[in-house]
Amino acid sequence: MKAIVIKNNAVRTKLPVKAVIGTAAVIMIFLWPLLKLFSEAFIGPEGFTLGYFTEIFGDAGFYEVLLNSLFINALSTVGAAIPGVLFAYIIAYTNIPLKKYFHTLLLMPVVIPSYIVTLAWMQMLSKNGLIYSLTGFELYSYAGIILMFSVCEYPIVYLLSLSHFRKIPRELEQAADISGCGKWKSFRTVLLPIMKGTLANAMLLVFLSCLDNFGIVAFIGIPANIQVLSTDIYKTVISGTDDSFQLSAAKAIILSVIAVLVMLVSKRVAEDAHAGNSEKEDMNPRICLGKARYAVAVFMGTFIFFVNIFPMITLVTSALTKAKGVAFSPETASFANFDKVLHNSKCMNGLTNSLMLALGTVLICTVIGVMLAYLSERRKNTVAKSIQMIVTFPYSIPGIILGLALILTYAKPVAGVTIYGTIWILLLSYVIRFTSVVLRSANTAFSQLDPAMEEAAEAGGSGNIAKWKKVILPLTAGPVISGMGMVAISSMMELTTSSLLWSGGSETVGVVIFNFTSAGMSNLASAYSSVILIMILAAFVVFQLLGFFITKGGKKYVNDNK
Amino acid sequence: MSTIISDLNMNFQDYQALKDVDLEIKKGEFVAILGPSGCGKTTLLRLLAGFLKPTSGKIEIDGMTVADKDSVVEPNKRNIGMVFQSYALWPHMTVIQQVLFPLQNSRFSKFKSADEQRKRAEEVLELVGMLQLKDRYPSELSGGQKQRVAIARGIVNEPALLLMDEPLSNLDAELKIEMRREISRLHKEIGGTILYVTHDQAEALGMADKIVVMSKGRIQQAGTPGEIFNSPANPFVAKFVGQSNLIKGRWEGNVFICGNGETAERKNIAEIFLEENLYPVKADNLSIVDAEASKFRGRIKEVEYQGFKNKIIMLMEDGNTVQVMANSMYDFPQEKEYGIKFA
């Protein structure tokens, strides 16, 4: 025991130097670009000015953009909440068959990027398509944007509600039943009021995610001439006028203020969301539906098919038709689009770039994330805790703003090195955006890891390397790997910051699809997206297997201690 | 107004949780279902509440068939109240709101206007001594206070049947005794019909008019606390409720013989004990004597100090293990041989 204490002291005395260097590096990398961006908005040709803000607020168009954003996002949160809560309730409480598969399929929009989903819906609802002739639904409209947001964001509400539903003790609902309430009444008077904190938090996160989104509003909003904050900032940046950077910086501040406010409110709401609930999730069904369970399963399957699967099928079939507007049939099927895509240097370049970027981002984010989580959770290191806050900050800032900030910071060579216009700036932006994802999962992992495990390893005489290799990593691998998977997919599919930071030769998957779609070559975009879909599917399988094999021991340990 | 359970069976896949259960609970009766965990008592309670559908059999509450082979009435349409083991107070409602809730929602509520409902809720809160805390939330209450609110919520509608699911198991020992008295008092004052599920024999013996002992999904014995305690129907009841010794020996007519010929008379002993050649006897009804004074001899294996008394475990010559309660004032040196006398 004594030896361990001395060792800890030794680490402490060495820390200040490391801590200073570490903190400085983190501030430079994660915070400096944003600070630079925010200061830009206040610096005019003659020094400090509020002129850019007065210009923005004097422009009636900006109010329209602001209102559009708020209106679309508000309705989208409702649109995401309804299916999210409904399906969470069904999956959490009923005994429908095939539950595990429904759960996985409901999460499709988490792994398929919103711009591919949007592209698929664009194909499904194209003017000469069957669905359009049946429904007459105009996708290029407010309703269309709101629909796409709802389709892409409902999993946030679904996942948070699912976990909370399972944590509500079943007796609370039974007590309401006994008191004379039917299922609907007890849902309204007992479950929903208990859930409202979680629900509010989930809806605010949806709101935030909508603010951050670029793919949907760019694909549908721009052709429909509906501007929201992110597309407006994008347009201002690429307009290339003298003060375009300053104006967009000022707009970025307004957007950030909204985002940070929403974030703060959501954190506040989440804190008191869990009063009176059990810690453990109760996975057993509570409502036995009898024969009706098949009807519910069919309803659910139909929803999943039309919202998540059928659009993807249309995406693939439209990729298989030679020309835009030709209906798909076995006779018109051709691999011409795939052929073009696979022989297009930009497409292939995009793929390799995105793969390399994903790999690099995962590696760097994991090292930083695991180290920070370990230092703040285990060593109760206050410096590490404050660094955590800095690292998580950019995650709440919409990606378009980060892109803009990086342009402003790195447009000119920094310390003699130019990374703007190369692939390195993309890597940097991904690391800044996604480190907090690994960090959060690592925090979860370390908070679940009993300190005694580590102490036992030290007491057993193992050194640092053996301790990490044999004890810490195997026991924390589960959550960390799922965080890594999330980062891999997010960076592979990133579009928002990439749309500002890419340059010839450093296109990414998202950028290639964006450029095809903007240029009206939606069949090529579909073919390319189909290739990506297959890759996502493969990656999903690999990560499932990987997680399964690595966490076997770790999961057992966690369960034993609950 | 009685509750009649006839020929009730409950299967979970291939596991039979209840077998041919028949039971009548008369109006105003306090019935305790007593049994070890896994005996089916909770299943029976859940069937009465309507959370489960029986495999076969019939349940009638207050003249209304709530479950038979054709149909099951949902919990909200049964005239019942329930007190949960975990209290199950809604975290988002104040004390008075919890108690008002059944009044406002139950079709059996006799209190229709908002005024009547408020008056009734306050009356019941007064009865359980929680009126002064009526605006608190559950998170601001202690365990005993939560328990009182849960009881108030259960009885507020004067249900035809009040179900209580181990309501005292989450309380500490002192509070348990206090709440036991409280529940008995409430039962006397309001006179409702209560079905009380517990694994604690002291609770059952202390409060109930009738005890139903269950094991392995079957009713082992039903009767007054005195009957259950003094004349157990079978070895299981003798062990579980009476904590009796089951001494192995042989019966000759109405005389039990064990050891080297020590005898005991048949008093209130069911036929099944004779068939199994067992003699049920409580530790209190045995005394330790010098080896020469008895033909049932053995050595002391363990002495457990219990305050006033010592619980002495003896290993007898004929292989029986016997528990004897002896005044802790007397000291029995362990190396000696002793005899046992039936009182």
Side-chain angles (χ1 to χ4, degrees):
Chain A
M1 205 52 212
K2 195 146 206 179
I4 297 167
V5 173
I6 291 165
K7 204 169 138 208
N8 272 357
N9 281 343
V11 173
R12 291 243 163 76
T13 49
K14 263 192 275 166
L15 255 178
V17 186
K18 280 192 200 168
V20 168
I21 297 171
T23 315
V26 166
I27 291 177
M28 277 310 292
I29 294 171
F30 286 85
L31 211 54
W32 174 244
L34 289 169
L35 293 177
K36 176 123 172 107
L37 167 73
F38 294 150
S39 65
E40 194 80 7
F42 297 99
I43 300 166
E46 290 105 34
F48 180 81
T49 174
L50 289 174
Y52 300 114
F53 286 95
T54 45
E55 190 183 334
I56 291 169
F57 284 113
D59 174 13
F62 185 71
Y63 289 100
E64 197 195 317
V65 167
L66 203 59
L67 275 179
N68 275 347
S69 273
L70 297 178
F71 169 76
I72 289 172
N73 294 0
L75 284 183
S76 302
T77 57
V78 178
I82 293 168
V85 172
L86 179 69
F87 293 132
Y89 182 82
I90 295 174
I91 295 284
Y93 288 166
T94 69
N95 60 339
I96 59 160
L98 305 174
K99 211 189 249 187
K100 248 172 73 187
Y101 301 98
F102 282 137
H103 174 72
T104 307
L105 289 173
L106 278 170
L107 294 182
M108 276 175 71
V110 177
V111 283
I112 301 176
S114 63
Y115 56 86
I116 291 191
V117 175
T118 310
L119 185 64
W121 281 71
M122 282 159 62
Q123 299 289 13
M124 185 171 82
L125 284 166
S126 65
K127 291 282 154 17
N128 49 7
L130 176 69
I131 306 284
Y132 182 79
S133 59
L134 285 176
T135 60
F137 184 78
E138 177 58 72
L139 191 64
Y140 299 89
S141 65
Y142 283 99
I145 299 178
I146 292 167
L147 175 73
M148 290 323 300
F149 271 143
S150 308
V151 164
C152 293
E153 306 293 354
Y154 79 84
I156 297 180
V157 183
Y158 168 73
L159 279 175
L160 289 172
S161 308
L162 182 71
S163 152
H164 194 173
F165 271 130
R166 285 176 172 158
K167 281 181 181 159
I168 298 175
R170 62 176 64 210
E171 288 83 12
L172 293 186
E173 203 187 348
Q174 290 177 338
D177 291 348
I178 295 273
S179 303
C181 292
K183 281 280 160 253
W184 170 239
K185 190 97 195 265
S186 29
F187 178 77
R188 236 172 16 131
T189 54
V190 172
L191 293 180
L192 214 52
I194 292 175
M195 286 277 298
K196 67 174 193 283
T198 296
L199 196 56
N201 179 39
M203 287 172 75
L204 289 167
L205 291 179
V206 170
F207 193 95
L208 216 56
S209 183
C210 294
L211 272 186
D212 180 55
N213 185 284
F214 182 69
I216 294 171
V217 283
F219 282 21
I220 301 180
I222 292 176
N225 209 13
I226 300 169
Q227 306 294 339
V228 297
L229 281 167
S230 57
T231 45
D232 187 52
I233 292 173
Y234 174 77
K235 279 197 158 174
T236 316
V237 175
I238 59 167
S239 69
T241 53
D242 288 344
D243 56 359
S244 66
F245 281 128
Q246 284 77 4
L247 272 179
S248 41
K251 287 176 179 174
I253 290 182
I254 297 164
L255 178 54
S256 305
V257 167
I258 299 174
V260 169
L261 279 181
V262 173
M263 190 73 174
L264 289 176
V265 175
S266 96
K267 273 201 172 141
R268 187 69 185 276
V269 171
E271 270 165 21
D272 46 33
H274 280 275
N277 298 311
S278 59
E279 293 285 301
K280 250 175 93 177
E281 293 193 358
D282 179 354
M283 307 294 277
N284 295 319
R286 306 179 181 195
I287 303 169
C288 290
L289 285 171
K291 292 249 154 43
R293 68 206 188 105
Y294 298 107
V296 175
V298 167
F299 161 72
M300 203 147 167
T302 315
F303 175 90
I304 291 173
F305 180 76
F306 279 106
V307 168
N308 287 346
I309 297 173
F310 189 65
M312 296 305 145
I313 296 174
T314 339
L315 184 77
V316 177
T317 54
S318 63
L320 287 170
T321 49
K322 232 177 279 171
K324 204 176 169 183
V326 178
F328 174 78
S329 73
E331 292 86 62
T332 57
S334 114
F335 281 99
N337 290 318
F338 284 93
D339 202 48
K340 264 190 221 156
V341 162
L342 293 175
H343 289 99
N344 182 316
S345 68
K346 280 205 168 88
C347 291
M348 287 298 100
N349 218 354
L351 255 179
T352 19
N353 283 343
S354 281
L355 277 174
M356 294 313 288
L357 281 168
L359 193 69
T361 311
V362 168
L363 282 178
I364 299 173
C365 289
T366 307
V367 172
I368 301 178
V370 170
M371 216 164 70
L372 270 182
Y374 176 77
L375 285 176
S376 39
E377 181 70 34
R378 201 49 94 229
R379 299 252 185 260
K380 304 285 176 225
N381 186 319
T382 40
V383 178
K385 275 184 191 159
S386 23
I387 294 179
Q388 279 222 15
M389 283 172 65
I390 298 171
V391 170
T392 33
F393 181 66
Y395 196 68
S396 57
I397 297 293
I400 200 89
I401 296 177
L402 181 66
L404 181 56
L406 289 175
I407 295 178
L408 286 170
T409 317
Y410 295 100
K412 295 186 201 102
V414 174
V417 185
T418 312
I419 61 167
Y420 183 64
T422 69
I423 196 164
W424 297 104
I425 197 155
L426 287 169
L427 181 67
L428 180 65
S429 78
Y430 293 0
V431 168
I432 296 176
R433 282 198 89 187
F434 299 128
T435 300
S436 77
V437 175
V438 186
L439 182 61
R440 261 183 307 174
S441 1
N443 279 337
T444 320
F446 281 112
S447 66
Q448 281 172 359
L449 176 67
D450 189 344
M453 293 290 122
E454 205 185 315
E455 285 159 11
E458 286 174 9
S462 55
N464 248 331
I465 293 173
K467 183 176 86 183
W468 275 87
K469 210 175 126 189
K470 296 251 166 79
V471 178
I472 299 180
L473 287 181
L475 289 175
T476 51
V480 173
I481 285 181
S482 70
M484 286 165 73
M486 216 45 233
V487 172
I489 287 198
S490 305
S491 32
M492 180 78 206
M493 300 302 153
E494 216 285 337
L495 173 61
T496 314
T497 48
S498 315
S499 68
L500 281 179
L501 296 175
W502 74 281
S503 50
S506 74
E507 359 355 49
T508 64
V509 164
V511 168
V512 171
I513 295 175
F514 178 59
N515 288 344
F516 274 143
T517 312
S518 310
M521 296 186 277
S522 59
N523 282 17
L524 284 182
S526 301
Y528 194 54
S529 300
S530 305
V531 175
I532 304 303
L533 273 183
I534 294 164
M535 290 179 57
I536 294 176
L537 197 68
F540 175 75
V541 172
V542 168
F543 261 101
Q544 284 279 323
L545 291 178
L546 209 65
F548 176 75
F549 284 120
I550 295 183
T551 58
K552 251 183 173 171
K555 266 198 182 132
K556 232 187 226 155
Y557 157 73
V558 171
N559 287 343
D560 284 350
N561 278 270
K562 271 204 174 147
Chain B
M1 280 287 270
S2 58
T3 299
I4 300 164
I5 297 163
S6 25
D7 209 13
L8 199 64
N9 280 284
M10 184 70 212
N11 295 355
F12 296 109
Q13 275 111 40
D14 48 359
Y15 172 69
Q16 193 168 7
L18 285 183
K19 293 170 200 157
D20 309 324
V21 171
D22 282 292
L23 182 66
E24 183 176 352
I25 304 164
K26 296 201 183 70
K27 190 191 173 205
E29 229 175 8
F30 190 137
V31 174
I33 308 272
L34 178 63
S37 58
C39 72
K41 58 186 193 295
T42 303
T43 306
L44 179 61
L45 186 95
R46 294 168 59 78
L47 282 164
L48 283 163
F51 299 140
L52 288 175
K53 181 177 178 288
T55 311
S56 68
K58 189 168 138 180
I59 302 172
E60 241 178 86
I61 297 175
D62 199 13
M64 172 189 185
T65 302
V66 294
D68 62 13
K69 63 180 191 311
D70 305 316
S71 63
V72 176
V73 175
E74 289 161 33
N76 55 329
K77 293 172 189 145
R78 299 182 178 199
N79 189 3
I80 51 174
M82 185 158 174
V83 180
F84 292 84
Q85 185 173 9
S86 57
Y87 319 128
L89 297 183
W90 301 298
H92 61 297
M93 292 188 201
T94 61
V95 167
I96 185 103
Q97 285 170 337
Q98 315 261 352
V99 181
L100 277 170
F101 195 83
L103 292 169
Q104 290 159 343
N105 289 295
S106 172
R107 59 181 62 199
F108 299 101
S109 172
K110 295 178 210 74
F111 308 91
K112 298 294 177 204
S113 77
D115 265 0
E116 279 177 301
Q117 288 173 351
R118 181 152 288 271
K119 235 186 93 203
R120 170 64 183 164
E122 287 178 354
E123 185 184 307
V124 174
L125 283 175
E126 176 81 71
L127 201 63
V128 297
M130 287 295 294
L131 190 55
Q132 69 283 10
L133 301 179
K134 70 182 162 75
D135 294 319
R136 292 226 185 147
Y137 284 94
S139 57
E140 304 164 320
L141 300 176
S142 70
Q145 290 168 337
K146 284 183 194 165
Q147 182 66 74
R148 283 161 204 271
V149 178
I151 292 173
R153 186 177 66 184
I155 62 177
V156 70
N157 255 336
E158 300 177 336
L161 178 64
L162 176 64
L163 303 167
M164 300 183 99
D165 183 11
E166 310 222 12
L168 305 185
S169 62
N170 287 336
L171 300 178
D172 59 53
E174 205 172 317
L175 206 51
K176 228 179 218 178
I177 307 223
E178 188 190 327
M179 285 309 295
R180 212 145 90 189
R181 253 184 269 135
E182 190 81 16
I183 292 171
S184 293
R185 176 182 69 84
L186 281 171
H187 179 236
K188 286 195 191 84
E189 272 176 46
I190 57 174
T193 313
I194 298 180
L195 185 96
Y196 187 103
V197 163
T198 180
H199 64 267
D200 181 338
Q201 56 151 323
E203 282 176 24
L205 292 169
M207 292 190 285
D209 302 321
K210 184 160 118 186
I211 294 178
V212 177
V213 183
M214 290 190 67
S215 167
K216 292 179 183 158
R218 280 184 197 278
I219 293 183
Q220 302 292 327
Q221 188 176 6
T224 64
E227 282 165 10
I228 300 278
F229 191 73
N230 293 317
S231 26
N234 57 40
F236 173 79
V237 180
K239 257 208 121 73
F240 189 72
V241 187
Q243 280 162 3
S244 298
N245 288 297
L246 292 172
I247 295 171
K248 293 184 216 85
R250 67 194 146 83
W251 284 91
E252 280 178 11
N254 279 339
V255 178
F256 179 75
I257 305 164
C258 64
N260 289 328
E262 189 67 20
T263 58
E265 293 285 308
R266 179 177 178 186
K267 280 176 278 181
N268 270 335
I269 293 173
E271 194 61 38
I272 183 159
F273 293 98
L274 275 64
E275 283 162 23
E276 296 190 10
N277 275 319
L278 292 173
Y279 185 75
V281 58
K282 304 217 181 334
D284 274 324
N285 296 338
L286 292 172
S287 46
I288 298 186
V289 295
D290 288 332
E292 303 80 55
S294 168
K295 289 173 186 148
F296 189 34
R297 294 184 197 133
R299 289 184 180 277
I300 293 176
K301 191 177 152 205
E302 233 177 275
V303 178
E304 187 183 305
Y305 179 66
Q306 291 190 343
F308 295 120
K309 295 211 164 171
N310 276 334
K311 185 200 225 174
I312 297 173
I313 297 169
M314 292 193 58
L315 196 59
M316 311 309 287
E317 283 172 351
D318 63 355
N320 271 305
T321 303
V322 179
Q323 287 183 19
V324 186
M325 295 305 271
N327 196 316
S328 55
M329 281 164 64
Y330 304 118
D331 192 30
F332 296 99
Q334 296 210 6
E335 57 282 2
K336 259 181 73 184
E337 203 184 26
Y338 294 97
I340 281 179
K341 272 284 186 203
F342 297 98

